[in-house]
Structure formats: C-alpha cells, structure tokens
Amino acid sequence: MEARNRSLNDWLGAVRSGQVQLPRFQRFEAWSYSQVQGLLESVLNELPIGAMFVLEVEGNPPFHPRPINSAPDGDRVSELLLDGQQRITALWKSLQGGYPEREFFVSFQEKTDYEGIAIKSVKVGTRGDKRYPLWVDDPQKLIERGLIPVRLLLPGEDVSNSAVEWLERACDGDQKQFVSHLMNVNKWRASFSSFNIPFLSLPKSTSPAQVLEVFTRINTGSTPLSIFDIITADIEQAVGESLHDLLENLNGRVPGLARYGDVQDIVLRTAALMQDKTPDRPSILNLDWDKVVQTWPELVDGAERAVDFLEAERVLDGSRLPIFTVVPALIALWSHGGKLSPDRLGEARTLLRKFMWRGFFTERYESSAHTAVIQDVRELTKAIRDGDRDVTPPIFDLDIPSEEDLREAGWPKKKDRLARAILLVSLKGGADDLADGESITVLNAARREYHHIFPDGYLKNIRSEIPANLALNCALITWKTNRTIQNKEPLVYMRDRAEANSLGDDETVFRLKTHAIPEKPLRRNDYSEFIQERSKLVAAAMESLTSGRPWSP
C-alpha cells in the first residue's frame, strides 16, 4: 500500500477522462446539501478533507466500473475509488453546477464560525422556463447579495473566460469592482486547483477478496454493504439475470426462509455448497454464476423443503436457532429432494434429522465451520442424491453431550448453542401454554417469553445452590402467563392453573408434558430433583434425535 498526494485539479481531470471511476458495488451518492456546503468551505479555507482510497487497475478492472455521477464514461480506467466517492462527487457536481435543485455560492460578505470564507447553499425551483428565486441567475443581483457562483472556481481556461464574462455583467462597467472580484475569483480558483488531497492506493496485484476485505473495513457506516450488495452488480452484468429479481422470487415462494436469518447470506452460502465449495467469502466471489442461475429452481425447491423440515422439527425461527451453519446446508441437501422417490425421501429425512440435531448438540460447527460443513455436505450428498448407503459424515462420529453437560447449560436467551438445543427439545411436544393451552407455532413463537420453571425469586428465597438460569429450567410461555406465575413456587402455580381452567389437574399435567417438564419434582418443589429428571428426559430426546429418529414427550 502506498500513500501519495494529488491536487484537486488532477482529481477532477481523472474523473473527466474516466480514468478514476467507482466499482459498481458502491452505493450511489448520499450526501446532503449541507455536507456539500461544508466540504466546499473546507477546500476554500484550505482545511483537510481526509484521504481517498483507490485500487490501481491495469487492463480489465477486477470489478465492473461506473463513472462518478454526471461524469463522462471513459474507457481507460486506471483507478477504482474505494473510499471518497461522496467527496469527489460533491466537488465534481458543485463545480460543474450539476445540482438541478441547488446552487452553491461563495459569500464574500459573510464569514464562517471559524472566521473563514463562507459558502451559501440556495434552493432552486423551476416554473416554466424560469428558475426561482429569479435573482439566482442574475449576476448583478448576486453581486449585490455578496454571492459568486462556485462553478466559476472550476479550474480550466474555459471557465476562466466564463468568469470574466460573468463578472463584467455583474459589475456593469464598474472597473474597480470588476478587478477586485476578478482577483478574488482567480485566488479562489487557484486554491481549488492546487488543493492537495492525499490518497492511499492498493497495488494492481491486490486480489478481489483482499480488496473487498479492505473496502468493508473502511466503510463502517450504520448500514455497511453486505457481500451480496458488493457482488450483485458484477454478477448481473455477467449473467444477464437480476439477483434481486431471483431473490424476490425466492421470498415470494418461501417467505418463511427470512425467519432463519438474512436471506441474501443464506442464498450465497447455499449456492457455494451446491457447487461443492466452502461457504466463505473467497469461494462465494469465485462462484460459477451461470450455474447459480441454471440451478436456481433447485435452490428454491431446497429452501421450501428445508423450511418445511425445520418447522416440522419445531425449529421455528433464527432467534432460537442453536447454530446458523445448518440452514444453508439443509437447503443444499434438500435441493436434491425433487428427484427422490417417497422411500428415498423418507431416508433423506432421517439422515437430515440426524445431521441437524447433531449440528445443534455437538461442537462440530463451533470453529472452522466452513471447512467442517462442506465435508459433511459432501458425504450426505452422496447418500441423498446418489443413494450411497455407505457414507459417514464426520459429524456422525462426534460424541453427544453427557447428562452433566446438559445440567450445566446456561440460559437459552443468550447465544448458547447447547442451551438453545435443549430449548428446542422442549418444543418438540408442542409446548402448550400453561394458561391458554395454545401450542407453539411459527405465528405465535415471537410472543413467547423465556420463563423460569422454578422462578428465580423463589430459588433466591430458598437459597438454592443450583443457579436459576439454566436451560433445563426454561420454558417458552406467553407474557400474560409469565406475569401470572411471577415468583410463585411450582406447587402453588400448578394448583392455580388447575383451579383456573375447568379441565382440572390432568390438563395442567398434560401441558407440562408438552414442554418435556417432569411433573413430580414440581409437586414436591424439589429443584435439584427437577434438574436431574429433566436432564434424563432431554438426554433421551437427544439420543433419539441425533440418531435420526423422531421424538416427542
């Protein structure tokens, strides 16, 4: 990386010739007029405006370029501007008079707060063939107001002649006034022309992946570009298909996919896995996008089947997902489902249940997830697509947690893989609400709260040595029910629930069972016994699910 300097005149010349352009993935200009005004004041008063960042280009640019807004489209791109688009665009357009609804003027009768030369921004409207206010195009009226158009400061001989003509009209024969204003305009133009803007440049040998890493690091705004944003323009030009249109098609066909994470991210990772690549940034940048378009129907079909599968397994949304890695993998694997017979579909469901729950309960994807998941997907693809019965994905060989591990898992509201896996087990029986009896669904899951089965306040009162914030002490219930239970001991709120509904004690016991909650330790108010008994229940469920067998309490 090299640090250099370039005058504003040279920057504008490079923009005019098309030598400096933007990578197409850059968002468009977004500055307000007040920001443009502030930038012009900084240049006029010789204050720093920060450094630019460019990528040197030789031959074909690594990313499709586009010119600065309103600049010519040259064919000799030598630099791509990675950082500085807003500043260069503001300078180029304001000096060209390129804002239809705004004019910028040097206000030679006003000062800034720091006693510098001020810039005035004037809103312009059009009615018929006239611009308003009428004085905005009247040189004499502008001079009377102490204003000179910024566009007269654009470096270049043609502009110099235009400035002389404009000042002659403005001063209306007053030679002394003309000379005074001309000296100021020439001084300001010289300041603009020679204004120094430093920049850092990446050498032309920099790989696209490295460029994008630098770009995302230096662009740290509130809405940073995703990798989808970065590549989409290049891909659309390369394959002649709009990825945004394809994505809209996917969202329309499988609206539930968005519950599990960012759909753009899911799609890119899935596409990588479907092309037998690790689902990381370098692989995504090197995808065969013609093939992505060709296999798009299979991807959409895989997404639809994967969402149905997740919902059937009571994995209802991303906020309770133990680990994200399994979602693109499930879509890639289910993309082969359309070609399977009913018997083979049944076999695939068993394999994928085993795969998914092992992804939740084991540490397989805690680190080096990209490398690990492609290994597992390759083996499972042989089984599902090709019917190979002699496959052993590495994830199938890992040990599952012990009952002691289950008893130590923390609160599932936090991003704790094992805790969330335990919570999902508690949904397998329907997780009927303890008060209204409604089973948990994708429609009402967001309204459920994380409830301490043995209330935190109650455990503090009895000075329990076992912490309250354990996954085994958690159930998802409605907020109204949660407020009703408060800090009551389990025996009391179980009695209250039985008295509150006309179906009596049996219904309360049934509802507890749908959460995989053992009833007897609750009746005895024995927290230690409860944790022991529930860990056995969850361990049995885990053993079944990670073996590919269905389970329900």
Side-chain angles (χ1 to χ4, degrees):
M1 187 182 300
E2 183 181 357
R4 288 184 282 170
N5 293 293
R6 181 180 293 160
S7 70
L8 177 55
N9 186 44
D10 289 340
W11 277 106
L12 295 177
V15 170
R16 185 180 294 107
S17 66
Q19 290 176 284
V20 170
Q21 295 194 30
L22 300 167
R24 192 170 298 196
F25 59 71
Q26 283 254 38
R27 291 193 177 108
F28 291 93
E29 62 177 310
W31 266 19
S32 66
Y33 294 127
S34 62
Q35 287 174 298
V36 177
Q37 178 184 340
L39 177 69
L40 291 169
E41 284 183 344
S42 294
V43 174
L44 193 58
N45 292 286
E46 299 182 357
L47 301 176
I49 64 170
M52 307 293 185
F53 211 128
V54 303
L55 169 68
E56 296 177 357
V57 172
E58 185 175 59
N60 292 326
F63 305 98
H64 288 290
R66 63 176 172 85
I68 299 293
N69 191 345
S70 78
D73 187 1
D75 57 1
R76 293 184 297 109
V77 181
S78 59
E79 291 175 340
L80 291 178
L81 187 60
L82 300 179
D83 188 39
Q85 175 195 182
Q86 303 301 332
R87 286 166 287 172
I88 287 295
T89 301
L91 290 167
W92 169 263
K93 289 183 68 176
S94 60
L95 290 168
Q96 298 278 346
Y99 291 101
E101 298 179 355
R102 190 70 49 160
E103 285 284 352
F104 295 94
F105 301 93
V106 179
S107 180
F108 57 82
Q109 293 178 353
E110 299 179 35
K111 295 290 184 182
T112 66
D113 292 340
Y114 50 87
E115 292 300 309
I117 303 169
I119 295 291
K120 187 175 181 66
S121 169
V122 176
K123 184 177 180 180
V124 178
T126 304
R127 292 200 297 272
D129 59 352
K130 293 184 178 181
R131 297 208 306 165
Y132 291 84
L134 292 173
W135 52 261
V136 80
D137 291 322
D138 187 329
Q140 291 185 25
K141 297 290 186 184
L142 288 171
I143 284 292
E144 289 173 6
R145 285 172 166 77
L147 303 176
I148 291 178
V150 163
R151 64 178 182 274
L152 299 183
L153 309 186
L154 179 67
E157 188 64 32
D158 291 342
V159 179
S160 178
N161 294 334
S162 298
V164 170
E165 293 174 5
W166 189 93
L167 287 171
E168 286 176 343
R169 292 170 55 200
C171 297
D172 193 25
D174 187 331
Q175 192 65 22
K176 183 178 179 181
Q177 187 185 39
F178 170 80
V179 171
S180 174
H181 288 314
L182 182 60
M183 289 176 63
N184 282 331
V185 168
N186 286 337
K187 180 179 67 175
W188 296 332
R189 186 190 299 113
S191 294
F192 267 79
S193 178
S194 61
F195 184 81
N196 190 50
I197 303 178
F199 67 100
L200 297 170
S201 63
L202 290 173
K204 50 182 73 83
S205 59
T206 309
S207 71
Q210 290 173 320
V211 172
L212 293 179
E213 182 63 25
V214 170
F215 179 81
T216 53
R217 286 175 182 266
I218 62 178
N219 285 271
T220 56
S222 58
T223 54
L225 289 176
S226 68
I227 190 171
F228 187 91
D229 296 321
I230 290 169
I231 65 175
T232 187
D234 282 359
I235 301 312
E236 288 173 7
Q237 180 160 326
V239 302
E241 288 279 350
S242 167
L243 291 187
H244 289 287
D245 289 346
L246 292 174
L247 204 65
E248 187 175 343
N249 164 269
L250 173 61
N251 285 326
R253 171 97 172 264
V254 195
L257 183 60
R259 292 197 308 272
Y260 297 96
D262 180 81
V263 175
Q264 295 176 351
D265 188 27
I266 293 173
V267 164
L268 294 177
R269 295 191 191 207
T270 301
L273 291 169
M274 288 176 67
Q275 293 189 23
D276 195 32
K277 298 178 184 289
T278 55
D280 55 16
R281 174 175 287 185
S283 296
I284 289 169
L285 290 173
N286 290 293
L287 284 173
D288 181 340
W289 287 99
D290 283 315
K291 190 172 182 180
V292 170
V293 173
Q294 292 167 10
T295 58
W296 190 259
E298 287 84 359
L299 189 151
V300 174
D301 185 62
E304 190 170 37
R305 291 175 183 273
V307 169
D308 288 345
F309 174 77
L310 286 163
E311 291 178 4
E313 293 294 311
R314 300 281 183 174
V315 183
L316 303 179
D317 54 40
S319 62
R320 280 165 277 273
L321 192 66
I323 198 154
F324 173 74
T325 306
V326 302
V327 175
L330 286 171
I331 297 173
L333 292 165
W334 274 118
S335 70
H336 306 295
K339 301 176 181 179
L340 302 180
S341 67
D343 287 338
R344 291 275 304 282
L345 276 174
E347 293 172 1
R349 183 172 297 277
T350 298
L351 278 173
L352 293 180
R353 181 183 294 116
K354 184 176 181 179
F355 161 71
M356 183 184 75
W357 286 98
R358 281 183 165 268
F360 293 163
F361 274 106
T362 70
E363 298 179 350
R364 173 67 170 162
Y365 302 131
E366 289 282 8
S367 61
S368 302
H370 296 319
T371 303
V373 75
I374 188 61
Q375 294 172 347
D376 294 331
V377 167
R378 282 171 180 160
E379 290 299 304
L380 288 166
T381 297
K382 294 176 187 176
I384 295 171
R385 182 191 63 194
D386 305 331
D388 188 343
R389 297 176 182 272
D390 188 25
V391 297
T392 53
I395 195 171
F396 286 4
D397 293 331
L398 269 63
D399 292 332
I400 58 176
S402 65
E403 286 185 28
E404 184 177 356
D405 294 328
L406 299 177
R407 290 193 289 270
E408 292 177 354
W411 196 243
K413 193 172 184 179
K414 299 178 180 178
K415 292 184 178 180
D416 183 297
R417 174 190 50 77
L418 183 55
R420 288 185 173 188
I422 292 170
L423 180 69
L424 290 183
V425 167
S426 76
L427 309 184
K428 289 291 289 179
D432 293 2
D433 187 66
L434 302 184
D436 65 26
E438 184 180 28
S439 295
I440 196 165
T441 67
V442 295
L443 299 178
N444 64 33
R447 301 198 300 270
R448 294 288 183 100
E449 292 188 348
Y450 294 80
H451 160 66
H452 291 86
I453 301 168
F454 275 74
D456 186 31
Y458 168 72
L459 293 175
K460 287 178 180 176
N461 289 336
I462 66 171
R463 297 182 179 179
S464 170
E465 294 182 359
I466 304 174
N469 286 345
L470 297 178
L472 291 171
N473 191 34
C474 183
L476 287 179
I477 59 177
T478 64
W479 71 268
K480 286 186 178 180
T481 304
N482 202 8
R483 302 302 183 272
T484 301
I485 291 173
Q486 297 178 336
N487 287 331
K488 297 175 183 177
E489 61 185 80
L491 179 61
V492 172
Y493 75 66
M494 283 181 65
R495 184 193 63 216
D496 289 348
R497 298 273 54 77
E499 292 173 354
N501 81 74
S502 59
L503 300 178
D505 189 61
D506 288 346
E507 178 63 17
T508 301
V509 171
F510 172 78
R511 292 175 185 175
L512 290 170
K513 186 177 180 181
T514 65
H515 291 266
I517 295 175
E519 163 214 353
K520 292 180 181 179
L522 287 183
R523 294 190 184 280
R524 289 194 281 266
N525 290 329
D526 191 329
Y527 185 48
S528 176
E529 181 186 357
F530 172 79
I531 294 298
Q532 292 286 333
E533 288 298 314
R534 203 173 191 215
S535 68
K536 294 182 186 301
L537 265 175
V538 172
M542 175 178 62
E543 177 66 36
S544 183
L545 294 168
T546 58
S547 298
R549 300 188 301 273
W551 178 88
S552 176

